[in-house]
Amino acid sequence: MLRLPLLLMSLISIAQNALQSQTVRNLIGERVIDIFADLSVPETEERDEEGNPIQRWVNDMTSRLVGFITNTIQRAVSWFISNAWSTIVEAGYTIFNFDWNQTDAALQSAINANNVQIAGALGQALGTGSVWLVSVALATGASLKFPVLGGKIALALAEEGGEEIRGQVVSLLNTTRGALARNSVLGTMLTLRRLRLFGLVPITEQREPWSIASAVEERIESIDNEMLRAFVENFVEGAVDALIEVGYVVSYAIDDFYSTSRLANETMFGEERAVKVYPDRNNEEEFITIRGPQQLLKQNVQTALTSHRWVHNRDLGQLVGQPAEDWVRAGMQRRKLTIVFKSKESPPWIAAPGQPRVKEVTYTIPEPDLGLTWTKIKTAAKHYTWGKFRATANLNNGRQMAVYGATEAEAERKLRELLPLSTGELLTLSVSEEKDRHPNLRKEAREMYPAYATLLIRRSTAELTGTNDLSGNNYRQELRRIELWPDTEPPNSPPLQ
């Protein structure tokens, strides 16, 4: 484990006059570690008295609120696990007493009523929680002016507000659980009717009510023998009650196992905490946030501080010798698309007598997309105005693309139209203007039209002939010409795969 640090240190050149005494570093003191607390942290807890009081108060309230929300979410998940069977019982009770002959409008009305019930419970919970949270925030802010009294009030509000908010959250969860269970049954029935599944059809007129509960009750009441009727009636009631009790016992056992396992982990590794570490006391903007069990955090904090000491104020480029980007080289292109533009719309590519010669420009598309089509190339290579402005794009595969245009905007537009043909991603794009050039070679604005394109494809081959790369791999080359001057795709266009 010590070989890597020794190797790294051997690659770093250290001059004698650059060394500093260890005493200077020791004078910096202990690193600052800020542990997030709950909302009800006592006022006697040690605080860092340095820095802006308002900023420190805002940070303190934010960290406490995050911890409170995280704790609430964890408790909500635990609550849902322990109340899963109650949701199943609620859904089963709804199905058992469901009126199968009620209209679709009545079902939708019942769903809307359940949604209104959820909205009301949510509004009450948010109203209660917002008032208590604002009160705690104001009392905490007042503690900056009146430390003793403000802190005492803030602590009392936090303790009482926590219980009130917790009660409202539990009430909201209970209401939501029951309403969602009923809505799931009603919504499923409404959907089955609309889709006409399992023989169900939409019902628009009120019919005589019918439910499983009433059918069972009528069946039991139809028994003539009084003793047998009493036996069956009580047997059904007892079986249903026992089934519900069995479900609750299993649910509580699972919740107990989950709680015991979580408690065992907390006992072994400590409470779940979040630690904010400031490796350099003189730089408050640089910090590391570490989350996890308290016992494991101790080791992680030490590791973070040790790593910071290794790289603090050091140029890591010394370990490499040169910046990495100086050694990036583009490899052999397996596919390359070359598009030829001419100043004449269609062949023959010869100027008429007395006319300027036909101008030709060629642009290369590195690593073109495998899904190229004639239409895609034709759309990207539509005619434009060529000129003295050069737009250059650097791609993430180490290659460049360049296009000349009559204006800065024209050059950039044409380059951006050709870029989607390549699989390379754009890193930088710049536009420059050609200033000085021999008068006979100056780039005068010319209308350019797509003439044809050539697709180069290199495939791996075991043959000795072909093109070799630096690794010694052999490639067989294929050239495919694509005519671009027609308005529609020629019938003999070659495949581009």
Side-chain angles (χ1 to χ4, degrees):
M1 296 300 293
L2 296 178
R3 293 182 178 179
L4 181 57
L6 293 176
L7 177 59
L8 295 178
M9 291 301 296
S10 65
L11 297 176
I12 300 175
S13 177
I14 303 178
Q16 183 177 0
N17 55 6
L19 297 175
Q20 296 182 359
S21 172
Q22 185 67 22
T23 306
V24 177
R25 182 169 295 276
N26 291 335
L27 290 177
I28 297 177
E30 296 295 332
R31 270 55 173 180
V32 179
I33 301 178
D34 180 21
I35 300 179
F36 297 161
D38 290 337
L39 278 173
S40 57
V41 175
E43 185 188 7
T44 57
E45 181 178 348
E46 296 182 0
R47 306 281 179 87
D48 185 8
E49 300 297 336
E50 300 179 1
N52 189 338
I54 297 179
Q55 182 179 2
R56 192 171 66 249
W57 173 76
V58 172
N59 294 337
D60 184 60
M61 285 301 302
T62 302
S63 63
R64 293 183 181 186
L65 184 60
V66 171
F68 174 76
I69 294 175
T70 303
N71 190 26
T72 302
I73 293 176
Q74 292 178 349
R75 293 180 179 179
V77 173
S78 177
W79 181 89
F80 273 115
I81 293 177
S82 60
N83 287 269
W85 180 248
S86 298
T87 305
I88 297 175
V89 171
E90 185 78 25
Y93 179 81
T94 303
I95 296 175
F96 191 69
N97 293 276
F98 176 72
D99 181 8
W100 295 80
N101 288 332
Q102 61 181 318
T103 63
D104 294 357
L107 291 179
Q108 188 62 50
S109 178
I111 293 176
N112 295 336
N114 292 331
N115 293 335
V116 170
Q117 186 179 6
I118 295 175
L122 178 61
Q124 184 175 3
L126 291 179
T128 303
S130 60
V131 171
W132 279 105
L133 291 176
V134 170
S135 301
V136 173
L138 293 176
T140 306
S143 63
L144 299 175
K145 183 69 175 178
F146 309 100
V148 178
L149 180 60
K152 187 175 182 62
I153 295 176
L155 180 59
L157 289 174
E159 293 176 350
E160 185 67 23
E163 294 297 330
E164 291 291 336
I165 294 176
R166 188 178 297 109
Q168 290 296 332
V169 170
V170 171
S171 176
L172 172 63
L173 293 177
N174 286 328
T175 302
T176 304
R177 181 201 64 193
L180 291 180
R182 293 190 295 272
N183 279 353
S184 62
V185 176
L186 299 177
T188 301
M189 179 58 61
L190 196 59
T191 302
L192 293 177
R193 286 182 178 181
R194 291 173 179 174
L195 298 178
R196 299 179 182 273
L197 298 177
F198 304 106
L200 299 175
V201 295
I203 299 177
T204 57
E205 298 180 358
Q206 185 63 41
R207 302 177 182 177
E208 182 180 356
W210 185 89
S211 64
I212 298 177
S214 61
V216 172
E217 184 176 0
E218 290 178 1
R219 181 62 177 171
I220 294 176
E221 293 297 331
S222 64
I223 299 177
D224 296 333
N225 191 315
E226 184 177 357
M227 295 180 58
L228 181 59
R229 182 172 62 251
F231 171 80
V232 173
E233 181 178 1
N234 287 274
F235 176 84
V236 172
E237 292 181 0
V240 172
D241 292 341
L243 179 63
I244 295 176
E245 292 296 332
V246 168
Y248 277 118
V249 170
V250 174
S251 176
Y252 291 152
I254 295 175
D255 179 64
D256 183 67
F257 175 79
Y258 171 77
S259 301
T260 304
S261 300
R262 185 177 60 181
L263 181 61
N265 292 332
E266 292 180 355
T267 304
M268 180 180 303
F269 299 108
E271 184 180 355
E272 190 81 10
R273 290 188 178 275
V275 180
K276 184 181 291 184
V277 182
Y278 294 86
D280 188 353
R281 191 181 183 88
N282 297 323
N283 184 10
E284 296 184 355
E285 296 183 357
E286 181 184 1
F287 61 87
I288 304 171
T289 302
I290 306 175
R291 298 179 182 272
Q294 183 172 346
Q295 295 297 327
L296 299 181
L297 281 181
K298 296 179 180 179
Q299 179 180 356
N300 294 336
V301 168
Q302 294 296 330
T303 303
L305 293 177
T306 303
S307 301
H308 183 270
R309 289 175 181 174
W310 270 104
V311 300
H312 182 59
N313 291 335
R314 288 177 180 165
D315 183 8
L316 295 182
Q318 298 179 38
L319 304 179
V320 180
Q322 291 290 342
E325 56 270 16
D326 290 351
W327 294 97
V328 174
R329 294 290 184 271
M332 174 180 289
Q333 294 192 64
R334 301 291 295 273
R335 291 167 59 88
K336 181 169 65 174
L337 179 66
T338 303
I339 302 178
V340 178
F341 291 82
K342 292 182 182 291
S343 58
K344 195 169 181 291
E345 295 187 45
S346 60
W349 311 115
I350 301 174
Q355 297 294 328
R357 67 182 182 87
V358 175
K359 178 67 178 177
E360 176 182 309
V361 294
T362 303
Y363 298 133
T364 299
I365 312 299
E367 302 296 343
D369 187 12
L370 292 176
L372 282 181
T373 61
W374 184 92
T375 302
K376 188 174 182 180
I377 299 175
K378 177 70 174 180
T379 302
K382 58 179 176 290
H383 88 278
Y384 80 107
T385 306
W386 176 84
K388 62 180 180 178
F389 288 87
R390 174 188 169 100
T392 305
N394 292 309
L395 307 181
N396 63 346
N397 54 14
R399 301 191 182 276
Q400 283 189 347
M401 286 180 59
V403 173
Y404 284 91
T407 63
E408 179 179 349
E410 184 75 358
E412 180 181 352
R413 180 184 66 82
K414 176 49 64 178
L415 179 59
R416 291 190 181 276
E417 289 177 352
L418 295 177
L419 274 174
L421 299 179
S422 174
T423 57
E425 296 181 3
L426 178 64
L427 298 180
T428 62
L429 190 151
S430 59
V431 181
S432 58
E433 180 183 2
E434 187 179 89
K435 295 292 186 182
D436 297 329
R437 195 178 180 91
H438 191 279
N440 296 334
L441 301 177
R442 288 178 181 172
K443 294 180 173 62
E444 302 295 338
R446 299 282 297 273
E447 287 291 326
M448 306 300 294
Y449 302 88
Y452 57 88
T454 302
L455 179 62
L456 171 64
I457 303 176
R458 293 189 176 102
R459 304 183 188 276
S460 300
T461 179
E463 300 176 0
L464 298 179
T465 59
T467 303
N468 298 332
D469 60 10
L470 296 178
S471 301
N473 300 318
N474 291 334
Y475 297 94
R476 173 172 50 87
Q477 296 188 164
E478 299 178 10
L479 287 176
R480 299 177 182 178
R481 181 184 172 103
I482 306 107
E483 299 293 340
L484 297 178
W485 60 269
D487 294 332
T488 58
E489 182 178 0
N492 59 346
S493 295
L496 303 180
Q497 301 296 330

